[in-house]
Amino acid sequence: METVEMNSVSLKRPRSEDDVANADEIKRQKILEKPKAGNDSGQSIENPAEQTEDTKSEIIPNEESEEQEEEELEDSDEDGDAESFADMMKHGLTESDVGITKFVSSHKGFSGILKERYSDFVVHEIGKDGRVSHLDDFSVPVDDEVNFEDPSEETFTVLSDEDKQRLEELQLFKNKETSVAIEVIEDTKEKRTIIHQAVKSLFPGLETKTEDRDGKKYIIAYHAAGKKALANPRKHSWPKSRGSYCHFVLYKENKDTMDAINVLSKFLRVKPNIFSYMGTKDKRAITVQEIAVLRITAQRLAHLNKCLMNFKLGNFSYKNHPLKLGELQGNHFTVVLRNITGTDDQIEQAMHSLREIGFINYYGMQRFGTTAVPTYQIGRAILQNNWNEVMDLILKPRPGAEKGYLVKCREEWAKTKDPAAALKKLPVKRCVEGQLLRGLLKYGMKNIISAFGIIPRNNRLMYIHSYQSYVWNNMVSKRIEEYGLRAVPGDLILKGATAVHIEEGDVDNYTIHDVVMPLPGFDVIYPKHKIGEAYKEMLVADNLDINNMRHKIRDYSLSGAYRKIIIRPQNVNWEVVAYDDPKIPLFTTDLDKLEGKPLPVLPTDGKFRALKMEFSLPPSTYATMAIREVLKMDTSIKNQTQLNTTWLR
């Protein structure tokens, strides 16, 4: 993770994937050399710090030093006496724990390793027009109208580190100064223009003027519109003929979308909320997606390519609209499954089945967290209005994939129930646990609802959505078990946005690919057969009323929705390749192509085999569930950890 020091714009460069692999190998050897009683598992290649959706948090303005410290801690491997990740994951969730139990294909399963390297999993966004996003152009568009804000290359180097620090402190109101004076050493009009341009381009919200002081020329920087200028980029310097939003393609490696936005916003010195996008993408992957940003020039964005590791920005254009969540048509996946054991015939059967039948549209494991306290349990407690249990589930000690400092924080909480004491054990305070403890300090132990409300809204809602997903997974498994792969009377189909039941005489008009099932919530209907009753029984067992999913706190009222039972991927292609070196990439990425890297040369008789597969999926479906159907094996981190360990031996 990049650690950005805003006053001098220094960058902690992350290790390359090979460096990470080498470091992991050293750790694995240490683990393998250490005797274990009754356990032969070692260190996993999977990243133990990989965030689930419920642990993402927003950047807190004006706390850069704390963010730097936290980011370093989040990337640190020094977890004290914490268990190895592989040992910890023996407490993790398996697919059956969250209702994922059925398959739809008849082929024999085989073994393979998913995401051994993050570069084995590549995602390209598909826009609402059906166009697949690719990074294939670094050029900057030329306007008919010359804009003063468009920075030249010299703009980024004309200011000293000391100037940048003073200007940043002025911009962020970190001191009582009302202006900053920068002496013009080489006094020419051209030099003064570049300094004016640099200040305005790099520090939104600041204006400049030239003054003579004691026979010397100074550029004076000052605030034009108070604190509002930080949130609202200047409008007067933006050409009227140019669209207000700069759209670009973001290529990123091993970073989730919100983390990437936070890094970009810190380098540009703007707030993250001026960025928009159509969907979030995996962390442990290479992903390519479209981003839009309000009134930031392509020149400024393109300059970041020289500053940042594991990010590239390109395909710039100016448009009059932002992007909206959910506008995308889907995602195209390129996936490598390494060290496969299936015969050529098994692989052919599996991939033909994926193309012709599809897979059960389960919510994937990342929806439910990685520790012994699944996120759906917290969601259920919220819906039950049981706030003491919500607090306990988030803060109590648990086995699982945890950083050492989180373990110490939980132990302190269990011992003292003192939020201040527990918070002192937690250097990373932007995590959910830290935010809840801050809330308890602010509002007190008797006002857990308000304390919980400090956690960003999207993160809070993820808990109840996780519960919805848990119910849906269990119910779709039961639906497949009871009725198989055919439409039956009482099933639901969508007509437009409305769900209707299939009547006895209409069954032959529909297939399993037309059938949907509800996510529990208000204003939804349920199947008119055994599964409708099963929904009610499951919610009654959880002390919830299926007919009244409205919560006294509006945010936690569950609105219902419908989801297809079976998804049939589009554009399915596959190839079996042989290789000898586990570190060698097995295909070229967009960045490889831009940089002119040749295709990897693979042996025809390598000692290992890999399945390289491509397919497209609609939004809100999980590629891991498609891969699960191919392999017929558990895709949980718990299971993959054991596979990776065995494979590396």
Side-chain angles (χ1 to χ4, degrees):
M1 185 178 290
E2 284 75 6
T3 298
V4 182
E5 190 175 295
M6 295 304 295
N7 52 12
S8 62
V9 198
S10 67
L11 180 67
K12 174 187 171 188
R13 294 168 70 87
R15 295 170 291 176
S16 70
E17 191 170 7
D18 285 343
D19 290 338
V20 173
N22 290 338
D24 282 348
E25 182 61 32
I26 292 168
K27 280 191 278 187
R28 279 190 290 273
Q29 292 304 320
K30 288 180 179 177
I31 292 164
L32 293 174
E33 289 164 8
K34 183 191 273 187
K36 293 186 182 72
N39 182 11
D40 63 353
S41 66
Q43 178 72 16
S44 162
I45 290 180
E46 288 286 349
N47 182 353
E50 184 161 340
Q51 290 180 311
T52 55
E53 290 176 303
D54 59 286
T55 60
K56 295 175 187 171
S57 57
E58 297 171 348
I59 289 291
I60 301 170
N62 302 339
E63 293 189 6
E64 283 84 359
S65 60
E66 183 178 280
E67 289 163 15
Q68 293 164 28
E69 178 186 358
E70 291 185 9
E71 287 175 350
E72 288 174 358
L73 282 162
E74 286 171 357
D75 274 357
S76 171
D77 291 319
E78 296 175 7
D79 285 343
D81 56 359
E83 297 173 278
S84 77
F85 184 57
D87 284 341
M88 290 189 291
M89 282 318 301
K90 66 190 177 188
H91 306 291
L93 294 172
T94 63
E95 289 183 346
S96 60
D97 293 328
V98 294
I100 302 172
T101 59
K102 302 295 180 184
F103 296 96
V104 296
S105 52
S106 58
H107 72 272
K108 184 178 178 182
F110 52 93
S111 179
I113 302 173
L114 170 64
K115 290 191 181 183
E116 183 189 353
R117 300 165 60 80
Y118 67 74
S119 52
D120 286 346
F121 197 90
V122 178
V123 186
H124 288 87
E125 191 171 70
I126 305 172
K128 59 183 178 182
D129 59 356
R131 183 179 56 84
V132 178
S133 291
H134 282 281
L135 181 76
D136 52 22
D137 184 5
F138 284 142
S139 65
V140 172
V142 178
D143 285 335
D144 294 333
E145 189 175 341
V146 177
N147 178 32
F148 183 70
E149 190 180 338
D150 291 350
S152 65
E153 192 62 32
E154 196 174 354
T155 298
F156 300 98
T157 58
V158 70
L159 299 173
S160 68
D161 288 344
E162 182 183 356
D163 290 337
K164 289 175 182 176
Q165 180 175 348
R166 293 165 59 214
L167 288 164
E168 184 200 347
E169 290 172 351
L170 175 67
Q171 181 202 36
L172 299 177
F173 299 92
K174 285 189 171 181
N175 56 35
K176 296 181 180 179
E177 299 296 327
T178 57
S179 65
V180 165
I182 300 169
E183 183 180 354
V184 184
I185 305 299
E186 303 168 18
D187 183 19
T188 64
K189 184 176 180 181
E190 291 76 13
K191 190 72 171 182
R192 293 197 302 271
T193 298
I194 290 170
I195 296 175
H196 282 294
Q197 189 179 35
V199 173
K200 290 184 174 184
S201 296
L202 301 179
F203 299 90
L206 296 184
E207 290 294 340
T208 57
K209 60 184 178 181
T210 304
E211 283 188 4
D212 285 309
R213 295 183 180 179
D214 300 324
K216 296 179 180 178
K217 281 280 197 303
Y218 288 86
I219 305 297
I220 309 300
Y222 60 97
H223 268 288
K227 293 189 177 184
K228 289 184 179 179
L230 280 176
N232 301 300
R234 295 184 320 283
K235 296 181 179 179
H236 64 269
S237 64
W238 196 265
K240 292 181 181 178
S241 61
R242 174 192 286 173
S244 294
Y245 295 87
C246 185
H247 287 232
F248 62 95
V249 169
L250 173 65
Y251 170 104
K252 61 182 181 62
E253 299 182 357
N254 207 26
K255 197 71 125 173
D256 72 31
T257 301
M258 199 60 232
D259 281 342
I261 295 298
N262 285 335
V263 170
L264 296 178
S265 66
K266 284 191 288 185
F267 267 83
L268 294 167
R269 295 180 175 84
V270 296
K271 290 198 171 183
N273 62 7
I274 70 169
F275 291 87
S276 57
Y277 46 88
M278 295 183 286
T280 58
K281 300 289 178 279
D282 294 288
K283 175 181 177 179
R284 190 168 171 78
I286 292 175
T287 68
V288 183
Q289 68 183 117
E290 188 174 348
I291 305 286
V293 59
L294 176 64
R295 295 181 188 271
I296 297 292
T297 64
Q299 285 88 342
R300 287 183 67 190
L301 294 167
H303 181 74
L304 296 179
N305 287 330
K306 300 181 180 180
C307 307
L308 299 175
M309 288 286 290
N310 293 2
F311 295 96
K312 289 295 177 185
L313 289 67
N315 297 80
F316 302 102
S317 62
Y318 293 108
K319 299 181 181 179
N320 287 317
H321 59 85
L323 295 170
K324 294 181 181 178
L325 279 171
E327 280 187 328
L328 72 168
Q329 198 176 103
N331 294 286
H332 185 75
F333 297 87
T334 306
V335 178
V336 167
L337 302 176
R338 292 185 183 251
N339 200 34
I340 56 170
T341 61
T343 65
D344 288 345
D345 188 52
Q346 286 173 330
I347 293 165
E348 285 293 308
Q349 289 182 38
M351 294 306 298
H352 276 289
S353 176
L354 181 67
R355 185 165 61 190
E356 302 303 321
I357 300 175
F359 63 96
I360 303 173
N361 193 21
Y362 286 122
Y363 286 94
M365 295 300 295
Q366 57 266 54
R367 193 82 168 181
F368 305 103
T370 57
T371 72
V373 178
T375 51
Y376 75 81
Q377 291 183 3
I378 300 169
R380 179 169 55 202
I382 293 169
L383 294 171
Q384 292 169 340
N385 212 31
N386 188 343
W387 293 100
N388 282 310
E389 185 174 356
V390 171
M391 178 179 67
D392 186 50
L393 287 170
I394 293 175
L395 295 177
K396 72 179 183 180
R398 81 279 301 273
E402 294 260 274
K403 289 286 188 180
Y405 50 74
L406 261 178
V407 173
K408 292 180 175 66
C409 170
R410 296 189 192 286
E411 289 172 349
E412 183 66 33
W413 174 257
K415 183 169 65 177
T416 66
K417 289 294 188 289
D418 180 350
L423 202 56
K424 285 180 182 177
K425 303 284 186 182
L426 192 62
V428 178
K429 296 179 174 60
R430 287 184 295 127
C431 60
V432 167
E433 293 82 1
Q435 289 162 332
L436 178 56
L437 289 168
R438 278 177 170 173
L440 292 170
L441 270 176
K442 181 175 181 179
Y443 294 106
M445 298 285 286
K446 293 185 178 179
N447 195 349
I448 301 170
I449 295 175
S450 296
F452 182 71
I454 279 187
I455 298 169
R457 182 175 184 272
N458 284 349
N459 295 358
R460 287 182 276 125
L461 297 187
M462 273 297 172
Y463 290 123
I464 59 174
H465 293 158
S466 177
Y467 177 74
Q468 277 186 310
S469 305
Y470 173 71
V471 172
W472 198 91
N473 278 359
N474 278 278
M475 291 298 99
V476 80
S477 291
K478 193 168 185 63
R479 163 64 181 75
I480 297 294
E481 182 180 329
E482 288 285 343
Y483 300 111
L485 296 179
R486 58 192 178 90
V488 298
D491 272 338
L492 294 167
I493 56 166
L494 285 178
K495 291 191 174 177
T498 306
V500 297
H501 292 100
I502 299 177
E503 302 297 336
E504 185 77 44
D506 291 331
V507 168
D508 292 340
N509 296 328
Y510 301 103
T511 70
I512 192 66
H513 296 99
D514 300 311
V515 177
V516 299
M517 286 193 16
L519 289 154
F522 56 84
D523 297 335
V524 299
I525 60 173
Y526 294 87
K528 285 184 178 177
H529 48 51
K530 290 181 181 179
I531 308 307
E533 292 303 312
Y535 270 98
K536 295 175 185 176
E537 291 169 8
M538 187 170 184
L539 268 72
V540 166
D542 286 341
N543 295 315
L544 294 170
D545 182 356
I546 199 168
N547 297 313
N548 183 16
M549 300 302 289
R550 296 186 185 273
H551 198 281
K552 67 178 185 179
I553 301 170
R554 184 178 177 182
D555 264 1
Y556 309 137
S557 291
L558 268 188
S559 57
Y562 299 95
R563 182 176 176 87
K564 283 199 169 185
I565 290 181
I566 303 293
I567 292 293
R568 189 159 40 193
Q570 302 299 306
N571 308 311
V572 179
N573 291 289
W574 67 91
E575 177 187 7
V576 176
V577 296
Y579 64 102
D580 287 319
D581 184 354
K583 295 178 184 176
I584 193 171
L586 300 181
F587 56 86
T588 53
T589 65
D590 285 0
L591 186 57
D592 292 334
K593 293 171 186 174
L594 271 171
E595 294 178 345
K597 290 185 180 178
L599 284 165
V601 178
L602 301 174
T604 55
D605 57 350
K607 57 184 176 181
F608 305 121
R609 295 162 71 240
L611 172 59
K612 185 169 69 172
M613 54 200 295
E614 290 190 58
F615 51 87
S616 299
L617 295 177
S620 192
T621 55
Y622 289 76
T624 49
M625 295 296 100
I627 294 162
R628 169 187 182 268
E629 188 69 43
V630 169
L631 294 176
K632 290 276 188 83
M633 65 183 296
D634 190 325
T635 62
S636 65
I637 297 177
K638 178 175 182 176
N639 187 55
Q640 286 291 310
T641 297
Q642 303 302 321
L643 271 179
N644 278 328
T645 302
T646 305
W647 152 228
L648 282 159
R649 291 182 176 204

